[in-house]
Every structure is written in C-alpha cells, then in structure tokens.
Amino acid sequence: MEEIHLILAKNLKAFRERKKFSLEKVSELTGVSKTMIGQIERGESSPTITTIWKIANGLKISFTSLINQSQPDTIVIPKKEVQVLTEDNGKYRVYPYFPFHDERRFEVYTVEIESGGFLSADSHGEGTEEFITVFEGELMIQVNNMDYTIRNGDSIRFKADRPHTYQNSGETITRLSMTIYYPA
C-alpha cells in the first residue's frame, strides 16, 4: 500500500490542477504556506492531521478525498474474490460486489437463493429504495403485507424503509441483482 503522504501529494496536486489554482491561491485559501503546499505536493513532507484539515477546509473538500487512494476508472471483480454472506443455512447467499460509499449513495449485490430459501429484512433507513432484477428463477418479495412475484427477466423497485422478505418460491435456484439506494 502506498504511503499516506504520497497519496496526499497526488490528490492535492490533481485537485489544484483540476481547479487551475496556483500554489499561491491554495496557500491563500488554506492558510498553509506556499512552500509547505509545494513540499506536500512533491511528497517531501508528511503534514500533520491539523494541516491536512486546514487544507481540506480551505479548499472546501472532504478530508478523506485528500488521503484516500483514487479508484481506477475500470475495475473487474472476480466472484471468487467477493466475501459471500449466507443466511437460512446457506440457502440465501449475498455477494457484495460494490459496497456503499458516501460519494455514490448506493451498493450493489448479486444474490443466490436456493429453492425454499428465505430472508426477513428489517427496515432500512428513511427513504431507502431497493432495485432488483431477477436473472434466473423466481422471487417472491413481501413488503407492506403485499406479495410480489418477480420472474426471470423481471424487475421490481420498492421502498425498503419498512420490513420486507425475500423467498425463492420456485423449484430452481434464483439469481438476482440488487441495488440499494440510500438518500443523503
């Protein structure tokens, strides 16, 4: 893993160049000397947390945007590298491919449910929605005391801020994609 001061160097320089700010402008906005900003960008300085906060606040960006490694534009995630979560004695399997991040406000899973598999879910936060597409088999969802059967190729969107259940009501395995959206 790359050292934090080198990640900070790249992120700060990229932000400054994107905004077309000079070193002097960044210094003026943040209260951190032009010399120090230059040293940070060249990876010659490991600034204190207080200094990083001053820079983040002055530039009106998040602290973590300065210290987190940027994600590549494209990423392939092999199924074998995803930590599977199971319920109902292994009959209900969730693969969290894209976990939640503040800047995205959603997470994406694939789910496999064996015949007869069942999961009861508590309500998620206020305004949360689920988007499900079934790619194989059949899924029965109960929400607001209403049953919905979603078959191969069909999709459903529902408010997930109330209790709901998932059940494979068919004879074969059910495979689906699930996106959960969390409002700000």
Side-chain angles (χ1 to χ4, degrees):
M1 177 125 179
E2 200 170 1
E3 289 185 53
I4 196 81
H5 77 281
L6 297 178
I7 295 168
L8 172 62
K10 280 189 218 171
N11 291 346
L12 179 56
K13 186 171 185 167
F15 177 83
R16 186 175 64 78
E17 289 175 349
R18 219 174 23 256
K19 293 290 190 175
K20 297 182 177 20
F21 287 167
S22 65
L23 289 173
E24 192 171 301
K25 178 69 172 175
V26 172
S27 175
E28 182 183 307
L29 291 170
T30 64
V32 176
S33 75
K34 180 178 157 183
T35 303
M36 175 61 85
I37 297 292
Q39 289 173 345
I40 292 169
E41 283 191 5
R42 291 188 302 274
E44 297 170 356
S45 173
S46 294
T48 65
I49 291 172
T50 302
T51 301
I52 298 171
W53 271 114
K54 282 178 78 170
I55 294 169
N57 290 335
L59 298 176
K60 296 180 177 23
I61 58 177
S62 74
F63 182 87
T64 56
S65 69
L66 286 172
I67 61 169
N68 283 342
Q69 273 187 306
S70 61
Q71 296 292 313
D73 289 344
T74 305
I75 184 169
V76 174
I77 303 167
K79 185 176 182 179
K80 67 182 180 201
E81 292 180 14
V82 177
Q83 179 69 45
V84 64
L85 308 169
T86 62
E87 283 285 335
D88 195 11
N89 296 315
K91 288 184 179 182
Y92 188 99
R93 296 180 297 279
V94 177
Y95 299 85
Y97 278 87
F98 300 101
F100 175 85
H101 287 283
D102 282 336
E103 62 274 6
R104 282 199 298 263
R105 314 281 335 142
F106 67 87
E107 52 196 9
V108 179
Y109 303 93
T110 59
V111 179
E112 297 175 344
I113 310 170
E114 300 292 336
S115 182
F118 177 85
L119 179 76
S120 179
D122 292 329
S123 57
H124 304 308
E126 179 85 23
T128 301
E129 292 181 283
E130 288 191 20
F131 301 81
I132 295 174
T133 300
V134 173
F135 292 105
E136 185 178 338
E138 180 177 287
L139 175 69
M140 188 171 74
I141 292 182
Q142 185 178 76
V143 62
N144 281 341
N145 295 316
M146 296 284 296
D147 291 340
Y148 301 90
T149 301
I150 300 86
R151 293 181 176 83
N152 184 11
D154 295 338
S155 298
I156 185 173
R157 176 192 58 82
F158 63 93
K159 296 280 188 182
D161 57 2
R162 53 208 68 173
H164 47 283
T165 63
Y166 312 89
Q167 182 176 2
N168 178 344
S169 52
E171 301 294 318
T172 61
I173 191 168
T174 297
R175 289 188 171 90
L176 59 98
S177 172
M178 176 187 295
T179 300
I180 302 177
Y181 170 75
Y182 300 91

